[in-house]
Amino acid sequence: MDTLVERAEEEIVVKKSRLIAIALPTTTLEEVKQAVDTIRKEHPDANHVVHASVVGKAGTVYSSSDDKEPKNTAGRPALEVLKGRKITNITVCIVRYFGGTLLGTGGLVKAYGDSCKAVLEKVRTEELVEKTDLVLCMGYEHIAQAKRIFQETDAMVLEEEFGTAVKIRIRILKDNESETKRKLMDLGQGRITVG
């Protein structure tokens, strides 16, 4: 199972209707609601803001909305496309600006499905693995060696704060947590705190 890394956007035109598909990383149904609200604010003049979402570690929590399009002609086709891609923690909002020509139910199903497919061709994903954040406090003399340990264990530095001591927040794979902690404790010999 993959997860979405960053926002992606793609636009298609069907019989003069503009459909803008926007893929957003979301991990809960509350975040899905916030994502849809954000897109509505970005496109206040849109006729419809349809969404389809797959969230959860197993990719088994679904959400979709037709947003005043005929029932099951917009959100459901987009959701079926999403489910077929084996991506979780993703919301695809499809913004429609009506172009003056009615598409009919079959045309709507195809347009929304194609719009979702188009944005999914552009998204950047990564394998879904559990990660954890650690906050370290150390003296300046340990920074260079600690950063080598971060590289060895694929840790990503999220934040650094320099004061009388150095406070560093890192994100690592859950599988690498104990090894990273052990190496840092060996390095600091009790003078590096890991929390």
Side-chain angles (χ1 to χ4, degrees):
M1 183 77 57
D2 287 340
T3 186
L4 185 65
V5 174
E6 62 191 7
R7 178 177 170 147
E9 195 169 315
E10 185 62 47
E11 180 176 332
I12 66 170
V13 177
V14 179
K15 293 186 180 177
K16 297 183 184 173
S17 278
R18 288 177 55 216
L19 290 104
I20 305 162
I22 304 159
L24 301 157
T26 50
T27 57
T28 64
L29 290 176
E30 183 58 36
E31 287 181 13
V32 170
K33 185 179 179 309
Q34 291 169 358
V36 173
D37 290 345
T38 297
I39 300 306
R40 282 187 200 285
K41 287 176 186 159
E42 289 178 13
H43 296 273
D45 298 329
N47 299 88
H48 306 279
V49 178
V50 167
H51 86 273
S53 302
V54 178
V55 296
K57 288 181 184 176
T60 54
V61 180
Y62 309 119
S63 172
S64 68
S65 163
D66 293 317
D67 192 37
K68 301 182 198 125
E69 291 282 26
K71 186 176 172 134
N72 293 327
T73 61
R76 172 68 86 194
L79 180 60
E80 292 306 319
V81 169
L82 260 184
K83 285 163 59 174
R85 283 293 302 272
K86 304 287 188 231
I87 300 174
T88 189
N89 296 338
I90 183 172
T91 295
V92 174
C93 292
I94 303 170
V95 178
R96 181 178 179 209
Y97 290 94
F98 183 61
T101 303
L102 295 174
L103 301 179
T105 55
L108 286 170
V109 168
K110 181 168 178 13
Y112 281 103
D114 288 351
S115 185
C116 188
K117 285 177 192 169
V119 77
L120 290 178
E121 288 174 13
K122 290 188 78 173
V123 298
R124 203 163 65 82
T125 61
E126 66 183 12
E127 186 179 348
L128 178 65
V129 290
E130 196 173 351
K131 296 179 182 176
T132 188
D133 289 3
L134 297 176
V135 177
L136 316 166
C137 190
M138 67 185 74
Y140 284 86
E141 68 275 12
H142 294 115
I143 293 174
Q145 288 176 294
K147 288 194 175 185
R148 276 196 287 281
I149 292 170
F150 300 160
Q151 287 179 335
E152 292 168 9
T153 58
D154 294 322
M156 179 190 330
V157 175
L158 301 175
E159 197 176 337
E160 294 177 305
E161 191 178 301
F162 300 95
T164 54
V166 181
K167 186 176 176 183
I168 301 175
R169 189 164 65 92
I170 61 171
R171 179 164 294 150
I172 58 170
L173 299 174
K174 189 76 173 157
D175 291 347
N176 293 350
E177 182 179 8
S178 59
E179 177 190 1
T180 304
K181 283 181 174 179
R182 182 186 54 74
K183 286 183 175 187
L184 288 167
M185 297 312 270
D186 289 349
L187 169 65
Q189 299 174 345
R191 292 177 302 201
I192 295 178
T193 59
V194 181

